[in-house]
Each structure stands twice: as C-alpha cells, then as structure tokens.
Amino acid sequence: MLRTRQLMLGLHLSLTLMFFYSFSMLPPVFIGLFFHEQAIWPFLQTFAAVALVGGIGSQATRQHRVGLKHRDGFWVLVLFWCLFSAVSALPFLLSHELHLNVASAFFEAISGITTTGASALKDVDAAPKAFLYYRAQLNFCGGLGIIILAVALLPIIGTGGAKLYQTEAPGAAKDEKITPRLADTARSLWTVYAGLGLLCCLAYWLAGMNWFDALCHGIATVSLGGFSTYGDSLAHFHSLAIELVAGGFSLLAAVNFALYFLALRRRSLGLLWRNAELRGFVGLVGCVILFTCFWLWQAGQFGWQEALVHGFFQAASMMTDNGLGAAGYPDWPMPTVLVLVLASFFGGCVGSTCGGLKIMRLLILYRQLRQQILEAIHPYAVAPLKVGDKKAAGDILQSVSAFVFVYLACTLLFIWGLSLTGLDLLSAIGTTAACINNMGIGYGVTGAGFDPLSDTAKWLMNLAMLFGRLEILPILIVISPRYWRY
C-alpha cells in the first residue's frame, strides 16, 4: 500500500518550492523587455500558472508539513526534479518562435536543469535572447542551485532538510558538514557558487565577449552546463583567450565547493591540495589534457600553439562534463575523440556541479584494486584501505562498487535502446555518453545537435539525463515496490 504520508509530504514540499521557483521566470522577462522582444509572454504565463498552482497547492497541503525522515528524501528528490523539469519545459512549449513539440521542449528543459547542455533547438542563433538567457539560467539553477536553495528554504517551510541534502550530495564523505546548521551550509555553498559565476562572467567580458554573451556563458560554464548563445558554441568567437577562460573555469567548477568555502574560511590554500580527491582529479585531467594536445599536434590538426589551447579547453570541457565546444570538435582524430568521450565518464569531484562517476569513486576503486593485488602477493598482510588520511569503511566500498556497476549497466541499456530507434552504434554510444554523463556533446548523428533524434530517442535521453543527474540509485529506490511498504 502506498504511504500516504510520504506522498503528501513530497507533494507539499514540491508545491512550495514550485511557488518560489516561479519567480525565476521573471529575469528572462526583463531580458526580453531590454531587447524589445515579444518572447516574454511564455515566461509571464508560466509565472502566473506556476505561482498560482504552487501557492494554492502549498496551502492546501500544509497540514502534511511534518518531519522529513531519511527514506522520505529519496521520494522528495525524485518528485522535485520531475516537477521542476516539467515546469521548466512550459516556456519552451508556449513559445511560438521556437516551434518545439513536447518531446523537444522537455529535452531542452531537462538538459538545462540537469546541466547537460545538449540542445534540441534547430537554430540556436535565431532564438530570442530571452530564451538564450533562460537556457543559461536553467544551467545555473540546476548546477548547485535548485537543491541547495531548496535545502536553505526547508527551515523556513518548517521541515528539516539534512537527509535531503545527503541524498543530493552523495559521496564517501557525504555526512560531513561544513557549518553547524544545514541552512547555513547551503547559503555558504550558494555564495561560493555565485561568486565563482560572477568572476567567470567578468573574465569572459575581459576576454572579448559582449555583456550578454559573457553573462550567459559565465553562468553556464560555472554550472558545467554548456548551453551557449550560438549553435557552434565557443567556435563562434574564434578566440583563444575565450577558450582559455572556459577551460580554466571548467576546471575550477569541477572542484568540491565545500573545499573552497573551508579554504576561504581558514585562509589556507594548502587545505585544497591536502584533499586526496582533488589531487587525483588534477593528475587525471592533466594526463587527458597532455594526450589531447599532443595528439592534435602530432596528427597535424593544428599548429603547436592552437593544439595547446584547443586541446586544453576541449579536454577540460569534456572531462568536467561542461560540454562547450570549439575548433570543429567532434570532427577530430578518432583516438582523441575516443579518449575525450571516455574521460566524460570520470567527471570531477564530489560536491561540484559535474556529472559522471566522480573522481572519489574511481579513487576508491583504484585503491581497492591495489589492495587486492597486495593481498594476493602477501596473503597475511594487513593493509587497511585509505583515501587520504581516512579509512574507507566496508559499506562505502560496497556502495561504490554497486553504483559503478549500475551506472555502467544503465549506460549499456541506453545505448541498446537508442540502437533500437535506428541510430548507428557510434552515434548511440556518443549520444548516451553525452546525456547520462550530463556532458552535452554528442557524436555522429548528434555531433552538431540533438534535433535529429526521434521523439522516442529524446524521451529515452530525457530519462538518461535524469538518471545521470540523480545518480540513478534514488530513482531505483523510489520505483522499488519494497520502498512503499510499511
């Protein structure tokens, strides 16, 4: 029997947050008014409808405003993302300029809110600036934003949010807190996130972008979302300086934001380098960048200077799952493309806005493999598995192994599903990697955009993007019949 309390609690929280989220439709209205566009009406209509439904629904279900238990966090999280994806799709559906059907509108919205950056628009360059900004705003809100903002608002609503925050921020150290109160933690992370976004916008502007392009690309880059104001992404600018800015901030955004906060609070940059996951990330991304630069130069694709810049930018963008592109990618030598697609599965650090498996999990698996080899050579040796200075408990090893298995299994299932829709194998692999890793750059049929996908394939990739953003397990838990039993 379904647990009525769980259902109503999730509905109350989601409706309340929908009311607050409706106000995010107003900034695109101001952008449209500034540029004298008619595209403001979809946002005004969405604002009115969502604010009305969210406000009335929140009041109607307020009697279910009870304590949030651990198991409730999974249901609230999944319901929250599904409802907000639907709300985010409304402006695309209501627009007369974009001509998107339901599948494409949801694809664009889910791609934005999950910070994937894959676009179903046929002509990005011709889209109204209100929508170009809105896409970047979706990236920014989805990156660190919506869930962290929700956690900050939960005490105001009257519900504790510790378990919800743990569900959204999985990892080996997810139970650690950087401030005593969860709301303070959320506000601290939001401040760091917004500050980095502001610096990125300023850097793009100094590198030669106009203020609008700098704003949109800045917030999309820091969220590792990858939506651009142009169909050919950063290749439109033909600027090595802009690519350097994009690559640099992609790497900065792939670092655990809690580390930034702690480093600023303690005024010690050494704290960053003492983090084992960050050291592993720097080493791995350094290898990918060096290989990409060398191969581009060795294959004669670019001269040495262009190979260094293009290789640095594209490798950083792909491994952090940012998804911005330039210099003709993915029409590069196959070995380079293959390495970059595989690197998109690595992702960045836990607590960042990137997708993929996360470096912490890969580091734990590497240490576990090394321990297995040591025990095979020395059967009586006692060597506890450590990540940095901390011992990894057995339950962490089991959860990491299970997650990686399920992640790769789902990847294969999505590749198979796309193949059934008629895509060739390479296109299916590249498209699935782009969506489940929240990376956003396809290959083959989807190399220049995701509009060629059939509606069935788009719905399948909508599911893949949500699986990647929610890291699969919360969805599997919620759809399990055992979850709904008392």
Side-chain angles (χ1 to χ4, degrees):
M1 183 175 64
L2 293 179
R3 302 179 65 199
T4 304
R5 188 195 66 82
Q6 279 182 290
L7 287 170
M8 296 308 296
L9 173 61
L11 188 60
H12 169 72
L13 289 175
S14 296
L15 287 170
T16 303
L17 294 170
M18 277 177 59
F19 173 77
F20 287 104
Y21 184 60
S22 66
F23 290 91
S24 69
M25 300 296 159
L26 298 181
V29 173
F30 297 137
I31 294 292
L33 290 174
F34 181 84
F35 287 102
H36 307 289
E37 294 177 338
Q38 297 295 318
I40 63 173
W41 295 110
F43 299 104
L44 289 174
Q45 292 170 328
T46 301
F47 166 71
V50 175
L52 184 64
V53 172
I56 294 176
S58 176
Q59 291 299 311
T61 58
R62 62 181 177 178
Q63 68 271 22
H64 300 282
R65 190 170 50 186
V66 295
L68 186 69
K69 298 181 180 179
H70 174 73
R71 63 181 293 160
D72 298 331
F74 299 106
W75 159 244
V76 173
L77 178 66
V78 173
L79 178 63
F80 176 85
W81 274 92
C82 291
L83 286 178
F84 275 69
S85 297
V87 169
S88 301
L90 284 178
F92 295 113
L93 279 171
L94 295 172
S95 172
H96 298 296
E97 292 91 347
L98 300 181
H99 306 292
L100 296 178
N101 61 15
V102 176
S104 296
F106 269 82
F107 185 93
E108 199 75 13
I110 294 175
S111 178
I113 206 71
T114 59
T115 72
T116 302
S119 182
L121 295 181
K122 295 180 179 180
D123 188 358
V124 174
D125 299 54
K129 284 185 166 51
F131 276 97
L132 294 177
Y133 168 78
Y134 176 63
R135 294 161 77 243
Q137 180 181 277
L138 285 177
N139 280 169
F140 191 69
C141 291
L144 187 66
I146 290 294
I147 294 296
I148 296 298
L149 183 59
V151 172
L153 287 172
L154 285 175
I156 301 175
I157 299 168
T159 306
K163 295 303 179 182
L164 179 61
Y165 179 73
Q166 290 174 4
T167 307
E168 169 62 13
K174 66 181 179 181
D175 293 323
E176 297 179 0
K177 297 179 181 179
I178 60 175
T179 62
R181 294 178 64 247
L182 189 62
D184 293 337
T185 297
R187 282 191 289 268
S188 300
L189 295 179
W190 179 263
T191 300
V192 174
Y193 182 59
L196 190 61
L198 181 62
L199 288 176
C200 187
C201 294
L202 180 61
Y204 273 130
W205 180 70
L206 292 175
M209 286 187 181
N210 61 49
W211 72 267
F212 179 76
D213 288 337
L215 172 63
C216 293
H217 286 90
I219 60 179
T221 298
V222 167
S223 66
L224 298 178
F227 270 149
S228 175
T229 54
Y230 299 97
D232 52 357
S233 194
L234 295 189
H236 172 84
F237 298 98
H238 303 286
S239 170
L240 298 182
I242 287 176
E243 290 185 35
L244 288 174
V245 169
F249 276 92
S250 294
L251 296 178
L252 291 175
V255 176
N256 189 334
F257 282 96
L259 286 179
Y260 286 135
F261 175 80
L262 292 174
L264 289 172
R265 189 173 68 176
R266 299 178 185 179
R267 299 180 181 179
S268 172
L269 292 177
L271 183 145
L272 295 173
W273 190 245
R274 288 195 294 270
N275 183 265
E277 184 184 27
L278 180 56
R279 293 199 304 270
F281 170 68
V282 171
L284 189 55
V285 75
C287 292
V288 174
I289 289 173
L290 286 176
F291 172 84
T292 304
C293 295
F294 173 78
W295 197 268
L296 290 176
W297 173 75
Q298 179 69 21
Q301 187 81 12
F302 303 106
W304 69 268
Q305 184 178 9
E306 290 80 9
L308 285 175
V309 176
H310 296 324
F312 164 75
F313 158 69
Q314 202 62 60
S317 179
M318 293 285 286
M319 182 165 166
T320 62
D321 298 317
N322 191 340
L324 290 169
Y329 183 87
D331 297 324
W332 284 6
M334 180 57 71
T336 306
V337 174
L338 179 61
V339 167
L340 293 181
V341 171
L342 290 176
S344 72
F345 283 89
F346 301 155
C349 300
V350 171
S352 70
T353 60
C354 68
L357 293 168
K358 306 292 193 303
I359 298 301
M360 177 62 77
R361 294 191 180 99
L362 298 177
L363 193 59
I364 289 174
L365 289 179
Y366 166 73
R367 298 287 171 83
Q368 188 176 17
L369 175 62
R370 193 173 67 174
Q371 184 187 47
Q372 292 292 323
I373 294 175
L374 177 63
E375 291 178 352
I377 298 174
H378 304 286
Y380 300 104
V382 178
L385 192 151
K386 291 185 177 182
V387 178
D389 298 327
K390 297 182 179 181
K391 185 184 296 185
D395 59 336
I396 292 177
L397 299 180
Q398 292 177 2
S399 64
V400 168
S401 300
F403 173 79
V404 173
F405 169 77
V406 171
Y407 195 95
L408 296 179
C410 287
T411 299
L412 293 176
L413 284 175
F414 282 121
I415 292 173
W416 175 70
L418 284 181
S419 299
L420 292 180
T421 67
L423 259 66
D424 62 275
L425 182 59
L426 288 179
S427 296
I429 293 173
T431 302
T432 299
C435 292
I436 199 168
N437 294 330
N438 303 126
M439 178 262 293
I441 300 181
Y443 185 76
V445 172
T446 57
F450 290 75
D451 178 63
L453 291 178
S454 66
D455 286 353
T456 302
K458 287 175 183 174
W459 285 116
L460 191 62
M461 290 300 96
N462 286 341
L463 187 60
M465 289 186 281
L466 287 173
F467 266 54
R469 181 75 277 176
L470 299 182
E471 303 206 330
I472 300 173
L473 292 180
I475 297 178
L476 296 183
I477 290 170
V478 169
I479 64 177
S480 170
R482 182 174 296 180
Y483 176 77
W484 297 102
R485 296 172 187 166
Y486 285 96

